[in-house]
Amino acid sequence: GVGAIDLPIVPQQGGDHVGTGLDESLEAPVRTAVCPLVLQHCGVRFSATVGKALANELRAFTPSAVLGVATGSGAILALETARGLKIDEYCLAQKAEAGLEPHQQQADVLCAPYNDANSSSLVKNKTLQLDKRCNVHGASVAVVLDTITSGELLKALLRLAREAGATVVAVG
């Protein structure tokens, strides 16, 4: 059976805060979860347990929405975290294989370029896209990722959240 688990809280740069490398640092606490392979291979009940545990860590920051990336384990983690927080609003940004020029962007999609140095793909310059219909404008958002490697995807997701009118209150 799947029992309770302890998620290690790993302080990032600057104590419990992460520097984003943007013009300003993210003044939101960072809570780390588990490796994406664990979520993909341990089943739905375990993923629900991880999402609930992460939700417990994020609850104090009172998010009203969860924002994640639509990868296999990233989507699961965002959904289960929102479920654990007992909130209905969660949105998933999509990765685009090739970077889009401003004239190529669709009017109903927000885009943030990022450099995916960890990708096995030959295309390293990519775009993260968020549908403008995603209901995070004015929301207090918890950004949830299944893994953070170089931080480039996280920075792109933070840019999208801000451009969509959300306030990022925590990163998990």
Side-chain angles (χ1 to χ4, degrees):
V2 177
I5 61 168
D6 289 326
L7 290 180
I9 303 305
V10 181
Q12 304 296 315
Q13 300 166 308
D16 278 346
H17 295 81
V18 63
T20 63
L22 301 172
D23 295 333
E24 60 198 77
S25 65
L26 171 68
E27 292 301 323
V30 174
R31 299 293 187 245
T32 57
V34 296
C35 172
L37 291 176
V38 173
L39 291 176
Q40 289 177 346
H41 298 290
C42 289
V44 173
R45 288 188 307 163
F46 182 76
S47 296
T49 302
V50 171
K52 184 177 179 182
L54 184 55
N56 288 338
E57 293 293 330
L58 298 174
R59 187 167 284 110
F61 307 103
T62 61
S64 58
V66 172
L67 180 60
V69 177
T71 58
S73 55
I76 293 167
L77 186 61
L79 170 64
E80 293 298 345
T81 301
R83 186 179 300 182
L85 288 165
K86 297 181 177 20
I87 55 178
D88 289 330
E89 293 299 329
Y90 81 98
C91 291
L92 299 173
Q94 306 283 331
K95 292 181 179 181
E97 190 60 34
L100 295 176
E101 297 298 322
H103 68 277
Q104 295 173 305
Q105 297 175 5
Q106 297 175 357
D108 58 348
V109 176
L110 300 173
C111 295
Y114 70 100
N115 186 324
D116 191 1
N118 297 313
S119 173
S120 60
S121 167
L122 295 176
V123 178
K124 303 297 182 188
N125 295 320
K126 297 188 178 182
T127 301
L128 193 61
Q129 302 173 337
L130 183 66
D131 191 315
K132 286 184 179 178
R133 294 171 292 191
C134 178
N135 191 20
V136 296
H137 184 78
S140 299
V141 173
V143 171
V144 175
L145 290 172
D146 56 355
T147 187
I148 299 173
T149 51
S150 69
E152 292 298 316
L153 185 63
L154 173 59
K155 288 187 268 186
L157 195 54
L158 294 172
R159 285 193 300 271
L160 285 178
R162 289 184 184 121
E163 192 174 339
T167 300
V168 177
V169 295
V171 174

